[in-house]
Amino acid sequence: MRDKKTHEYFDRNTPKYPAGNLMFAADYMRRHARKTARLIDVGCGDGESLSMLKDKAGLSDLTGMDITMHYLAKAQERTGCNIVLGSILDGELVKARRGSWDFVVMKAVLHHLIEKNRASSYRAARTAIKNSLSLLGQDGRLFIYEPAHGPKFLMDLVFHVKKVFSHLSSNRIELTRKWLNIGQPVVSYYEPGQIEAMVKEAGGEIVESRVIDTKRLGYVIKRTGVGLVIKKGRRYDANR
């Protein structure tokens, strides 16, 4: 991860999203997976989602990928999974493992891929989706859970305020809850339509789309948990 402060932050902290947010993925895998199916969780953290998928989807060939060995060790201890140390934005790492998995999971990763501005952060998130599609074998599926937020103009403001504050101080000011704050980590939240656009631009085709949950944060911000099942589309080109 090129954003050093975010990398350092997640070496110390793991955001908690209920593993149940991936039940749509577990249900799909149960219906379609072979017993020999292989799965990789991109940004696996401490292995909570891997543990749930191992139990609910009945898979045994599991791999966790993360940018920090600290959490990979926890995931391996928890699930017995294989591990890959590195970032989904690392093109060489992805190229070396192209076509290796039947299922790729990304839970709440896209908004943490931070670059110098919102536009370049969007491109990084799109690259993460494209690279994840590269990891898939023939007829593989990518599962994305992402907490989408809107309206867009407010998410632009949140990005810039947190970006500026993170340069001024390493502290954080928590507002109403731990993950609603000013300061580190910087986040780049997207609306559901933006995430769907990323998928199409990356060469993916949405097979299933689920609204996992919807909440109002205050009177203006709407948070929607989006669950997507994605396959390689006709426009997908691993070399593009």
Side-chain angles (χ1 to χ4, degrees):
M1 183 177 288
R2 285 163 287 198
D3 180 40
K4 184 178 179 181
K5 287 189 175 181
T6 299
H7 188 157
E8 292 172 347
Y9 183 88
F10 286 113
D11 199 34
R12 303 187 306 271
N13 301 276
T14 297
K16 290 293 183 181
Y17 295 92
N21 289 339
L22 284 174
M23 277 304 301
F24 76 96
D27 291 342
Y28 188 97
M29 292 174 195
R30 261 200 321 272
R31 297 196 308 269
H32 299 282
R34 305 185 311 272
K35 290 185 178 180
T36 57
R38 306 181 70 204
L39 176 147
I40 184 169
D41 184 359
V42 174
C44 67
D46 62 7
E48 182 179 26
S49 294
L50 278 171
S51 179
M52 186 278 283
L53 292 169
K54 181 179 182 179
D55 178 44
K56 301 297 184 183
L59 302 181
S60 58
D61 194 337
L62 306 173
T63 299
M65 176 191 286
D66 209 286
I67 59 172
T68 166
M69 194 63 214
H70 174 65
Y71 280 104
L72 282 175
K74 288 188 174 185
Q76 189 173 52
E77 181 180 4
R78 185 173 192 169
T79 66
C81 67
N82 304 307
I83 57 173
V84 175
L85 176 63
S87 168
I88 192 61
L89 297 179
D90 184 341
E92 290 303 313
L93 181 152
V94 170
K95 184 178 179 181
R97 293 165 173 80
R98 184 175 293 169
S100 295
W101 286 278
D102 301 287
F103 300 124
V104 177
V105 172
M106 272 202 301
K107 186 179 79 169
V109 169
L110 299 178
H111 65 280
H112 287 304
L113 301 177
I114 303 303
E115 299 289 343
K116 62 182 179 180
N117 54 44
R118 276 276 272 173
S120 55
S121 296
Y122 179 98
R123 289 192 292 272
R126 183 179 61 201
T127 297
I129 295 173
K130 182 176 182 294
N131 287 350
S132 294
L133 290 170
S134 287
L135 297 178
L136 291 174
Q138 186 177 7
D139 298 323
R141 294 291 184 267
L142 166 63
F143 301 89
I144 292 178
Y145 168 81
E146 186 69 15
H149 289 68
K152 180 180 177 299
F153 79 91
L154 271 182
M155 296 306 102
D156 291 343
L157 179 61
V158 168
F159 175 89
H160 291 296
V161 168
K162 289 173 73 65
K163 192 81 167 176
V164 169
F165 194 87
S166 70
H167 287 302
L168 298 176
S169 172
S170 60
N171 296 324
R172 55 192 281 162
I173 300 173
E174 294 182 4
L175 302 177
T176 59
R177 61 188 69 182
K178 184 175 182 180
W179 295 104
L180 185 59
N181 59 74
I182 298 173
Q184 296 183 31
V186 180
V187 292
S188 189
Y189 285 122
Y190 304 102
E191 293 180 310
Q194 289 179 286
I195 298 169
E196 292 176 2
M198 285 179 199
V199 171
K200 294 176 183 177
E201 291 165 12
E205 180 180 330
I206 297 172
V207 176
E208 291 185 13
S209 178
R210 303 274 188 92
V211 174
I212 308 302
D213 56 47
T214 301
K215 295 180 182 178
R216 286 282 180 183
L217 305 178
Y219 294 101
V220 182
I221 297 176
K222 182 180 180 181
R223 175 191 179 280
T224 304
V226 176
L228 300 176
V229 182
I230 303 160
K231 67 178 182 179
K232 294 177 183 178
R234 293 181 181 179
R235 293 179 54 249
Y236 175 76
D237 180 359
N239 299 310
R240 180 168 59 88

